[in-house]
Amino acid sequence: MSQSGNQDHSAPPALDEFALIRRFFADRCQRSETVVLGPGDDAAIVQPPLDRQLVMTQDTSLAGRHFPNDLPAFDIGYRCLAVNLSDLAAMGADPLWCLLSLTLPKVDEAWLQGFSDGLFSLAEESGIQLVGGDITRGELAVSIHATGSVRPGEALCRSGARRAERICLGGVPGEAMLGLQQWQAGARESAAIDRFARPAPQLALGQQLRGLASSCIDVSDGVLADLNHILTASGGLGATLQAEAFPANQGLFAALTAEAALQLQLQGGDDYLLLFTLPDNAPLPGNCLEIGRIDAEPGIRLQQADGNRVDLQVKGWKHF
Ligand code: ADP
Ligand code: MG
């Protein structure tokens, strides 16, 4: 840091920046043979595994935009790392390292403790190492850069889907958006809120899909919007989804009308499930749903139980 003129001299002395970094981040980093030098110097030094390609991603989460301002600090730390790990999962990569860029309005030690507890609980569970970062003052924002690895040529891309292949999902979609709606309506505890607050990046599934799936993406913007990315990247294909593949009034959706449940499942984002295509000879991994097939006619259609087909409009979230 070197931002002269930025200090608030009237405030009581808060935890000094470097002590803060050590206490909540650097001292919690684990040893690993791929980390030669972790946080504390001008930059980290890492040792990439031999004969591996590196897979890199970065995601920024803004308070009030990507998560509610009053989400618990633990969940913010967990979720911000989860969305980055989900990108690695969607590429079929094994996690290696991450860098954390944190913008804070003030030094709130209880908040920082919760945030770093959430971040490190997922970091330890997933085996990713925090190797450095940055802290600045401003509106709450969290940006994480994550690196993983694959054997050459093994990464899962969006571009490999082919006609007649099965379209599959790593679980039931729409639960996270249901949770966000419940939160916005004033609820603070529910299974759906947990799905929004602490999405589970599907790293093991991504690794299992290497050599099996022809394309893969993680659902951040909604099943239709993200499926549309696969269709476009794969050369302008289309898809027909089966309405009965979506469990309308079961589980967390039991209280909703079938129509409202389907809307959430098709258009709701933030689930961070993997959406992938499988050639016929590839087995469907456990706990995954087969939701339809790729076809040559552009656009996405929904086939109802009675055989009727309706065209679906891709909405999804766009920043611009
Ligand atoms: P510089 O001003 O030289 O860029 P910083 O003050 O930003 O250094 O960071 C000092 C050290 O602390 C660096 O090694 C950096 O990677 C680490 N660091 C800063 N913020 C974090 C953080 N949020 N988590 C982990 N390490 C951090
Ligand atoms: Mg420096």
Side-chain angles (χ1 to χ4, degrees):
M1 184 198 76
S2 163
Q3 288 148 320
S4 45
N6 216 7
Q7 274 117 346
D8 179 355
H9 294 286
S10 63
L15 194 59
D16 141 85
E17 176 189 337
F18 299 107
L20 181 163
I21 293 170
R22 273 199 305 278
R23 178 156 142 209
F24 295 110
F25 303 104
D27 286 353
R28 302 190 66 169
C29 294
Q30 295 187 322
R31 310 257 146 252
S32 150
E33 60 205 26
T34 70
V35 181
V36 182
L37 186 62
D41 212 307
D42 293 309
I45 307 174
V46 294
Q47 180 61 56
L50 282 179
D51 302 325
R52 287 262 174 163
Q53 292 175 336
L54 298 181
V55 178
M56 297 185 187
T57 182
Q58 176 147 17
D59 254 299
T60 300
S61 301
L62 304 177
R65 172 93 47 93
H66 297 94
F67 56 84
N69 283 294
D70 53 349
L71 198 68
F74 184 100
D75 295 348
I76 297 173
Y78 191 102
R79 188 175 191 284
C80 293
L81 181 57
V83 303
N84 280 274
L85 288 170
S86 179
D87 279 326
L88 294 183
M91 301 301 291
D94 301 322
L96 282 169
W97 316 295
C98 63
L99 294 159
L100 164 68
S101 176
L102 189 56
T103 306
L104 297 173
K106 60 178 191 299
V107 174
D108 175 340
E109 294 184 24
W111 189 93
L112 276 159
Q113 186 66 49
F115 177 88
S116 82
D117 286 349
L119 184 115
F120 280 101
S121 79
L122 182 57
E124 281 155 28
E125 188 187 320
S126 63
I128 198 162
Q129 310 286 328
L130 180 68
V131 296
D134 187 31
I135 295 208
T136 49
R137 184 186 292 200
E139 301 261 313
L140 179 60
V142 185
S143 190
I144 293 180
H145 177 285
T147 301
S149 78
V150 290
R151 279 188 214 93
E154 205 179 36
L156 304 171
C157 298
R158 298 177 179 188
S159 52
R162 298 286 171 264
R163 255 170 89 164
E165 285 179 345
R166 289 166 291 158
I167 303 166
C168 309
L169 263 175
V172 176
E175 295 180 348
M177 189 52 61
L178 177 65
L180 180 59
Q181 290 180 352
Q182 292 173 351
W183 182 280
Q184 287 164 342
R188 287 294 174 268
E189 269 178 50
S190 76
I193 288 173
D194 288 349
R195 294 281 295 112
F196 174 83
R198 293 182 305 284
Q202 298 196 296
L203 287 159
L205 177 60
Q207 291 156 9
Q208 191 185 346
L209 291 174
R210 295 190 292 229
L212 288 182
S214 52
S215 70
C216 187
I217 191 170
D218 65 319
V219 179
S220 54
D221 296 337
V223 166
L224 295 189
D226 289 311
L227 174 57
N228 201 39
H229 290 313
I230 286 184
L231 299 175
T232 305
S234 300
L237 295 169
T240 300
L241 304 182
Q242 299 297 330
E244 68 255 39
F246 296 92
N249 354 66
Q250 292 167 33
L252 304 190
F253 299 97
L256 277 67
T257 65
E259 200 182 330
L262 186 65
Q263 183 68 17
L264 277 177
Q265 292 177 13
L266 292 177
Q267 306 277 10
D270 291 316
D271 281 307
Y272 300 99
L273 296 170
L274 297 188
L275 174 67
F276 53 96
T277 52
L278 283 184
D280 266 336
N281 56 1
L284 182 71
N287 298 321
C288 291
L289 307 177
E290 194 179 313
I291 61 166
R293 285 201 185 250
I294 299 288
D295 43 45
E297 187 192 338
I300 306 176
R301 294 153 290 280
L302 185 70
Q303 179 151 359
Q304 320 273 15
D306 62 8
N308 264 351
R309 289 179 177 209
V310 290
D311 287 332
L312 295 171
Q313 295 303 314
V314 178
K315 294 194 190 101
W317 170 262
K318 288 201 182 88
H319 285 281
F320 299 105

